[in-house]
Amino acid sequence: MQQLLAPIHGFLRCETPQTWIDIARAESSLEELLIDHCNCELKAAQTAMFLLRRYALSQDSGRSLLTWAKPYEEFVYLKDRNIEQFLARDVKKNELIASLQPNEHFKFAQDLIPPLIRLIKEEFHHFEQVLELMRARHIPYRNIRAGRYAKGMMSHVTTHEKDILRDKLIVGAYIEARSCERFAKLAPYLDAQLGKFYVSLLRSEARHYEDYLSLAQLVSPEDISERVAYFGEREAELIMAADDEFRFHSGQPL
């Protein structure tokens, strides 16, 4: 685990403060933690889908991707959701069967499609795994307001069109890296089942951060080190700042 986490710790500008861990490990926080974690997995998939549809896919393939993701979004956004029914659905009927065609006007389309499709599939799978854990613990899914973390990171994305994708990919790298770091921080304090699950997520989350970072450099004609450092400082500020609500990526609790 330490070998896996070493690049993550070198990438992030700060560790999760103990004050957050103390809140997250409390039994009273479990429901909020799992619901927000579930939402984070869905948002991670949606973010990758948006990038594919905006830059890398043809219009028809973009619509195919939306159709594939529809059951997940319907579950989250419809009020009459049913966890048992959703988890018991015939997944094979919802496979992404259509061959995804690249956007011929985007130079790096073929480079973005495979890693982001793999990421989307893994995030959706994690979403379902968290739902399974919630069902087993009799925790009903509900919509909760997103924390300020992702929005705070995205607020620093440039407005220059040619560099927007680069910045969004860097932001994605930091979100994935922080998720990985927090899974590792929390795992020792949780019950055996949940701790084992969080440890099992480390490898995929670490790879997601590396994929995002590699793609950010690929689409940028200049070295991205300075931009990566800039977002690293902003990310650390959000993590270390006082926060009045508990979320998976929230800062230090007031």
Side-chain angles (χ1 to χ4, degrees):
M1 186 188 295
Q2 293 309 313
Q3 185 177 1
L4 182 68
L5 291 170
I8 297 287
H9 291 151
F11 180 63
L12 297 172
R13 296 300 193 273
C14 71
E15 292 188 28
T16 291
Q18 188 64 39
T19 50
W20 183 89
I21 297 171
D22 291 341
I23 295 294
R25 65 186 286 194
E27 183 66 27
S28 58
S29 299
L30 182 61
E31 180 172 326
E32 206 82 0
L33 178 74
L34 289 177
I35 292 174
D36 193 51
H37 178 188
C38 195
N39 285 333
C40 286
E41 299 292 355
L42 179 73
K43 288 169 187 171
Q46 290 174 322
T47 297
M49 285 177 56
F50 171 81
L51 294 177
L52 282 176
R53 293 177 58 240
R54 171 67 178 82
Y55 296 98
L57 295 179
S58 67
Q59 287 189 353
D60 286 344
S61 290
R63 285 191 286 268
S64 296
L65 196 62
L66 284 179
T67 300
W68 176 51
K70 190 175 180 181
Y72 298 91
E73 297 189 344
E74 284 184 342
F75 173 81
V76 169
Y77 299 122
L78 292 180
K79 291 183 179 179
D80 58 343
R81 67 180 68 89
N82 184 300
I83 288 184
E84 287 75 15
Q85 189 175 27
F86 174 76
L87 293 174
R89 76 195 188 285
D90 187 349
V91 178
K92 289 185 178 180
K93 288 184 178 180
N94 188 230
E95 286 292 335
L96 185 59
I97 298 173
S99 176
L100 296 177
Q101 299 301 312
N103 174 6
E104 60 183 18
H105 303 294
F106 181 61
K107 177 180 178 182
F108 302 105
Q110 290 282 17
D111 298 293
L112 264 67
I113 293 173
L116 291 186
I117 287 295
R118 180 173 64 175
L119 184 150
I120 292 166
K121 288 182 176 181
E122 290 178 345
E123 302 292 16
F124 278 152
H125 179 57
H126 297 163
F127 172 81
E128 293 187 36
Q129 287 179 301
V130 179
L131 276 182
E132 287 276 16
L133 287 167
M134 290 169 57
R135 180 175 66 170
R137 293 157 190 261
H138 307 290
I139 297 175
Y141 179 88
R142 57 184 169 84
N143 296 119
I144 59 175
R145 184 176 62 182
R148 61 184 176 82
Y149 176 80
K151 186 176 181 180
M153 289 292 286
M154 292 299 292
S155 70
H156 297 288
V157 169
T158 182
T159 57
H160 299 293
E161 181 62 34
K162 72 180 185 69
D163 294 323
I164 289 177
L165 177 57
R166 175 205 64 192
D167 278 9
K168 287 185 176 180
L169 290 167
I170 294 173
V171 168
Y174 273 105
I175 293 174
E176 296 291 340
R178 181 59 65 186
S179 297
C180 187
E181 188 252 7
R182 289 206 159 170
F183 289 144
K185 288 282 189 182
L186 265 180
Y189 298 104
L190 302 174
D191 62 73
Q193 182 192 34
L194 196 52
K196 183 178 180 180
F197 172 61
Y198 274 16
V199 169
S200 75
L201 297 179
L202 295 180
R203 193 169 300 279
S204 59
E205 299 298 320
R207 188 180 65 251
H208 294 170
Y209 122 77
E210 291 171 343
D211 285 347
Y212 269 128
L213 206 57
S214 296
L215 291 174
Q217 183 58 78
L218 179 70
V219 303
S220 176
E222 297 94 23
D223 182 79
I224 64 171
S225 300
E226 185 175 330
R227 200 63 181 159
V228 169
Y230 171 80
F231 277 105
E233 292 167 1
R234 304 291 79 76
E235 199 270 346
E237 289 170 359
L238 287 164
I239 291 300
M240 299 307 295
D243 219 325
D244 60 359
E245 60 182 357
F246 171 72
R247 293 290 184 270
F248 195 84
H249 291 97
S250 55
Q252 300 204 63
L254 287 172

